Amino acid sequence: MLKYILYSFFFVSTINAQLFSEQFEAQASGGKGQIEQVIETQLTLPKTILTSNFDVHVNALFDLDSSGHATNIKFKTGVNNALRNETKRILRFIRFTKTQNEAYETYPYSFSFPISTSRYNKFLKQRLRLNLKKGIQIDSSFIVYAKADRAPEYYKNGEEGMNDYILSEMEYPKLAIEKSVEGTVVIEFIVEANGYVTDLTIKQGLGAGCAEEALRILKLTRWQPAIINEKYVRYKVSYPITFSLRNVNRDASSSIGQ
């Protein structure tokens, strides 16, 4: 009997190890930066697991549905239920690219990230505390809206504040200056119910580093989230940023405006 138990344990462990070693790292639409953005701005852990020795590496396997979201999620052993549930929630913010063929029936993709108490606390310190209205709940359906009772707006003085922020913070790429590149970049993204942005996508590009600079600055923005039926909701925004050489300073350090 003991021999049978030991054999069964060895067999299951071997299969589990093979299962995790033969998978392919899931590629997020927009690259690894999208995953980091979601983890840094959306990850929420209960205080009960944030002990002094909390330091784990979360490993998950999954398939992808037609929209590029994780499904049939399976975890490697050693991940407690609270962290499993939060990882499943985090995966719902991320769209992945389907790269594997039909030969893999289930669990062809892998996803992993390290998390510890110190790393999580660092994320919390980096998050700006937005002055959101009290009494308004957060919608948990994960639906992304395009119309709302109140559309999202930049957290500090709305559109005027957004323009000031872009003018003061953005740097006109040196290559774009050298090549006299001007024009408009359009970035599509989701303003999450907590005011941070995710899923940034270039809808209208511009060469010489302009699109990348637009992505960088919009990734740092914070918003008052959209409201529907007295709930904060996810909302898709399409935002244009115009690069104009008229805004380049004489000393070659520069900013861009709309």
Side-chain angles (χ1 to χ4, degrees), residues 197-208:
V197 299
T198 65
D199 200 21
L200 293 94
T201 305
I202 300 170
K203 301 303 291 185
Q204 177 179 306
L206 190 63

Side-chain angles (χ1 to χ4, degrees), residues 40 43-45 50 119-129 196:
E40 291 176 9
L43 185 68
T44 303
L45 298 177
L50 296 173
R119 188 165 189 250
Y120 179 68
N121 287 336
K122 181 180 179 181
F123 295 160
L124 292 184
K125 287 181 180 179
Q126 291 173 340
R127 294 180 191 176
L128 177 66
R129 289 188 177 182
Y196 287 86

Side-chain angles (χ1 to χ4, degrees), residues 99-113:
T99 58
Q100 305 309 315
N101 57 39
E102 298 301 323
Y104 295 91
E105 296 181 0
T106 56
Y107 309 119
Y109 299 96
S110 68
F111 171 81
S112 65
F113 67 94

Side-chain angles (χ1 to χ4, degrees), residues 103-244:
Y104 295 91
E105 296 181 0
T106 56
Y107 309 119
Y109 299 96
S110 68
F111 171 81
S112 65
F113 67 94
I115 189 67
S116 63
T117 298
S118 60
R119 188 165 189 250
Y120 179 68
N121 287 336
K122 181 180 179 181
F123 295 160
L124 292 184
K125 287 181 180 179
Q126 291 173 340
R127 294 180 191 176
L128 177 66
R129 289 188 177 182
L130 298 176
N131 187 24
L132 302 180
K133 290 183 179 179
K134 295 181 179 180
I136 298 181
Q137 297 180 342
I138 292 180
D139 179 62
S140 59
S141 68
F142 273 84
I143 296 173
V144 178
Y145 294 90
K147 293 182 179 179
D149 300 333
R150 192 195 76 182
E153 61 178 26
Y154 185 63
Y155 84 101
K156 195 174 183 180
N157 202 24
E159 189 63 25
E160 183 179 346
M162 182 70 167
N163 291 336
D164 291 341
Y165 175 72
I166 291 174
L167 283 168
S168 64
E169 296 297 327
M170 267 216 168
E171 296 181 357
Y172 213 110
K174 291 182 180 180
L175 183 59
I177 295 174
E178 294 172 2
K179 294 188 174 183
S180 299
V181 174
E182 295 183 300
T184 300
V185 176
V186 178
I187 304 295
E188 188 175 83
F189 54 90
I190 295 173
V191 175
E192 297 293 345
N194 69 347
Y196 287 86
V197 299
T198 65
D199 200 21
L200 293 94
T201 305
I202 300 170
K203 301 303 291 185
Q204 177 179 306
L206 190 63
C210 294
E212 291 75 12
E213 181 64 5
L215 279 173
R216 184 190 71 82
I217 196 67
L218 286 174
K219 180 180 178 181
L220 301 174
T221 58
R222 308 291 183 264
W223 301 69
Q224 290 290 333
I227 295 178
I228 295 179
N229 296 328
E230 294 301 314
K231 286 186 178 181
Y232 289 124
V233 299
R234 309 178 77 204
Y235 193 95
K236 181 164 286 188
V237 173
S238 184
Y239 200 89
I241 295 180
T242 297
F243 288 74
S244 174

Side-chain angles (χ1 to χ4, degrees), residues 48-61:
T48 54
I49 70 172
L50 296 173
T51 60
S52 58
N53 62 346
F54 175 71
D55 189 350
V56 298
H57 201 109
V58 180
N59 292 279
L61 297 180

